[in-house]
Amino acid sequence: MTPPPPADPGVAVQVRGLRKSFGSQTILDGIDLDIRPGEIFFLMGPSGAGKSVFLRHLIGLEVADSGEIQLNGTSIGDESLRDRFRLAMVFQSGGLLNSLTVAENVGLYLAEHRLKPPAEIARIVREKLALVNLTEQDALKYPTELSGGMKKRVAIARALVVEPQLVLFDEPTSELDPLMALTVGREIVHTNRMSGATTIVVSHDRDLAFGIATRIAFLEGGRIIAVGTPDQIRGSQEPLIRRFLAADFSPE
Amino acid sequence: MFRELGQMLLLFGETVKALPLAWRQRRKVAEQLFEIGNASLFMACTLSLFIGGVLALQAGPLLTQRGLGSLLGGLVGESLTKELGPVMMAILLAGRIGSAMAAELGSMRVYQEIDALRTLNIDPIRFLVLPRVLALAVSLPCLVIFAILVGSAGGALVAHFNHDVGVPASTFFNNLRSTLELRDLLHGLLKTFLFAVMIGVVCCNQGLQTLGGPRGIGRSVTKAVVNSIVFILVLDYVVTRLLLPLARYHG
């Protein structure tokens, strides 16, 4: 089946010489990347490689020591960026506000920016929750009453409400069982196809990466050591990537 | 220390800047007011009743022995209105509400809720700090007026029923009414308002600066309460000193 044409073209991301240190520890050591509009770009690497820190730079939650990030030619530091591009991020923990119900969390962006009347917000919230298989009963619950997988799905619904042109996922399948991880992976692809948003996923989940990515970059020690299609990464002769991909539990 | 002071001043400035949008946050302000009242009214009542009582118990016998027992009401009322009411209620709110605010914002910081707000282009200061500071600024003066009333009643009870004091409640209240002036109340309420804003800014700032998981939240709560109490006492001296020329018996 051919996917429908993108409703809203995603943004291209260009990263040049990105460096970040916390104290004496270098986390990002000169990252250069080009991410194409509308693709699902997967950043893979071992724990502590700097994947989440990289993601936080893309959405402006961290300021780089040096280097440049541009979204469609606009620097991430540009104050008018948010007026031009809608960005959304799905956090590892979900990042849901515990004091608000699921429905209030999902509709928060529209309500706070007064973009729609309350009845319209309620309709959009119902629609987005349905997209991630959550019911109207779920909408009345508080995040503390939800499972890890449900929280992730609510976070995805909240990101969808923004109708983002760039959507970032930080470890979307962590703490999820394989079936729920599969569901979340499908949601990411579905979101990407529906909106045409450029999608960047950070994870060390190999199955997810090879299942959904258009391209994969491998981050190690704050540097990108390989970028390519899933097949190219699978065939990489880089020793660390080979070890990472071959790692399996086999009792001795 | 100076870094924290700078952060607090910045947060205060940002909160003042967000003031024009306060009406949009009225629901959150109302929720905070309800929480503050719910959490502190009973404690405020107990605390002020006994403060008034102990003031009468300490000063009453001394005044009665010197034939000045009829002045007890004014002494208790003045002390409660200008000093003990504002300071004790501010300390109570710092411990009971300020700590909860620091813990809540700290937890929101640690569990990425504040980052999520930023990615949704929602200013955490407008959304989280402003309603809390406003609710404190409204509720603490109300709580102090309540404390003055209850504390005076506590003082009158002790004055009336304690044999060493032996001042009738009617004498106590007559003297309180003739001694206390509107400017005394305004003096107390001005202090209270400043304490409230300061507690809100100090505690929210500590919450927003939280790092390092549950232990970090615990550290933030402790720092929020300790810093608030220190600032309350320092600010109390500074404001009292500045208002001294306006006191009717000064000079």
Side-chain angles (χ1 to χ4, degrees):
Chain A
M1 192 179 78
T2 319
D8 196 354
V11 294
V13 181
Q14 190 183 61
V15 183
R16 290 288 176 269
L18 189 70
R19 285 175 203 280
K20 180 72 178 178
S21 299
F22 292 115
S24 59
Q25 199 182 3
T26 302
I27 306 296
L28 301 176
D29 192 12
I31 304 268
D32 293 311
L33 268 180
D34 288 300
I35 299 168
R36 298 165 193 154
E39 74 173 330
I40 299 180
F41 189 87
F42 211 100
L43 190 61
M44 200 160 58
S47 301
K51 304 186 295 291
S52 296
V53 175
F54 173 73
L55 215 55
R56 290 173 63 83
H57 278 84
L58 288 186
I59 202 123
L61 292 174
E62 298 283 352
V63 179
D65 296 338
S66 63
E68 169 91 310
I69 301 172
Q70 290 195 341
L71 306 184
N72 268 6
T74 305
S75 169
I76 196 84
D78 191 325
E79 299 248 322
S80 67
L81 182 89
R82 297 271 177 171
D83 301 331
R84 267 182 265 180
F85 305 115
R86 293 181 305 277
L87 318 177
M89 179 159 170
V90 177
F91 288 88
Q92 186 170 358
S93 63
L96 302 177
L97 273 72
N98 283 324
S99 57
L100 304 182
T101 63
V102 165
E104 287 169 334
N105 261 290
V106 175
L108 187 63
Y109 175 78
L110 298 176
E112 274 302 308
H113 294 290
R114 300 196 161 186
L115 298 174
K116 308 269 182 197
E120 179 70 357
I121 293 175
R123 189 193 61 75
I124 293 171
V125 166
R126 273 198 305 276
E127 183 189 299
K128 301 301 179 194
L129 285 174
L131 279 176
V132 293
N133 295 320
L134 290 170
T135 62
E136 290 195 23
Q137 281 73 40
D138 295 327
L140 303 173
K141 290 179 181 165
Y142 283 89
T144 48
E145 300 171 70
L146 303 178
S147 67
M150 286 168 93
K151 280 183 190 170
K152 290 255 159 86
R153 282 188 280 157
V154 175
I156 293 173
R158 186 171 67 183
L160 289 176
V161 164
V162 177
E163 296 185 347
Q165 291 150 293
L166 173 64
V167 57
L168 314 175
F169 290 87
D170 188 10
E171 302 284 2
T173 56
S174 66
E175 302 165 32
L176 298 183
D177 65 66
L179 288 176
M180 190 50 70
L182 190 68
T183 309
V184 169
R186 283 179 180 153
E187 299 295 352
I188 295 171
V189 175
H190 183 62
T191 308
N192 174 266
R193 287 191 179 163
M194 263 194 354
S195 63
T198 307
T199 304
I200 302 175
V201 184
V202 151
S203 173
H204 48 232
D205 185 335
R206 293 169 300 185
D207 293 339
L208 183 71
F210 291 111
I212 69 168
T214 315
R215 287 192 306 145
I216 299 172
F218 201 94
L219 185 69
E220 163 60 13
R223 288 171 173 270
I224 300 287
I225 59 170
V227 187
T229 62
D231 284 341
Q232 286 170 331
I233 293 294
R234 225 183 244 118
S236 169
Q237 294 307 308
E238 182 70 41
L240 182 77
I241 297 177
R242 296 228 58 81
R243 276 207 318 276
F244 188 85
L245 298 184
D248 208 351
F249 180 75
S250 46
E252 290 169 21
Chain B
M1 169 74 182
F2 287 110
R3 198 165 152 244
E4 271 180 28
L5 210 59
Q7 285 168 343
M8 279 184 254
L9 286 173
L10 276 176
L11 183 64
F12 174 70
E14 292 290 317
T15 311
V16 171
K17 248 170 64 183
L19 262 178
L21 299 164
W23 181 245
R24 283 177 60 175
Q25 304 298 326
R26 60 192 181 279
R27 209 188 94 185
K28 286 193 211 77
V29 175
E31 284 168 4
Q32 290 293 325
L33 277 172
F34 179 76
E35 280 201 18
I36 293 171
N38 217 14
S40 55
L41 209 56
F42 178 71
M43 289 290 281
C45 184
T46 312
L47 198 67
S48 45
L49 190 73
F50 282 93
I51 289 172
V54 88
L55 272 174
L57 201 61
Q58 294 271 17
L62 288 173
L63 292 175
T64 307
Q65 281 164 22
R66 287 158 180 76
L68 300 170
S70 60
L71 299 179
L72 184 62
L75 188 141
V76 171
E78 283 262 338
S79 309
L80 280 171
T81 307
K82 291 168 77 171
E83 194 58 43
L84 286 170
V87 171
M88 294 310 290
M89 288 307 112
I91 290 175
L92 172 72
L93 240 63
R96 205 145 164 89
I97 304 298
S99 59
M101 284 180 179
E104 191 182 4
L105 296 193
S107 157
M108 291 180 79
R109 169 85 201 260
V110 168
Y111 296 108
Q112 297 180 311
E113 292 178 39
I114 289 172
D115 286 344
L117 282 176
R118 288 205 171 103
T119 60
L120 293 170
N121 214 8
I122 297 170
D123 178 12
I125 293 169
R126 175 174 60 77
F127 191 78
L128 300 169
V129 178
L130 181 65
R132 283 165 173 78
V133 173
L134 280 180
L136 275 170
V138 171
S139 60
L140 189 53
C142 296
L143 214 59
V144 166
I145 293 173
F146 176 73
I148 294 167
L149 295 173
V150 175
S152 302
L157 277 173
V158 171
H160 191 87
F161 290 109
N162 188 284
H163 295 299
D164 294 332
V165 184
V167 175
S170 56
T171 311
F172 182 95
F173 281 117
N174 281 338
N175 182 244
L176 193 150
R177 266 200 301 272
S178 62
T179 310
L180 217 57
E181 289 185 2
L182 182 63
R183 64 175 149 181
D184 297 323
L185 185 65
L186 293 177
H187 177 136
L189 291 183
L190 174 66
K191 263 187 191 178
T192 307
F193 175 77
L194 296 174
F195 291 161
V197 173
M198 189 273 302
I199 294 168
V201 171
V202 168
C203 295
C204 289
N205 183 59
Q206 283 301 335
L208 292 175
Q209 302 300 330
T210 302
L211 288 173
R215 277 183 75 182
I217 298 171
R219 271 198 301 272
S220 285
V221 171
T222 310
K223 276 178 91 173
V225 175
V226 172
N227 288 354
S228 293
I229 293 174
V230 170
F231 278 116
I232 287 166
L233 297 175
V234 172
L235 199 60
D236 183 39
Y237 177 82
V238 173
V239 177
T240 306
R241 183 69 194 85
L242 290 174
L243 291 178
L244 208 56
L246 302 177
R248 71 192 116 104
Y249 38 75
H250 181 71

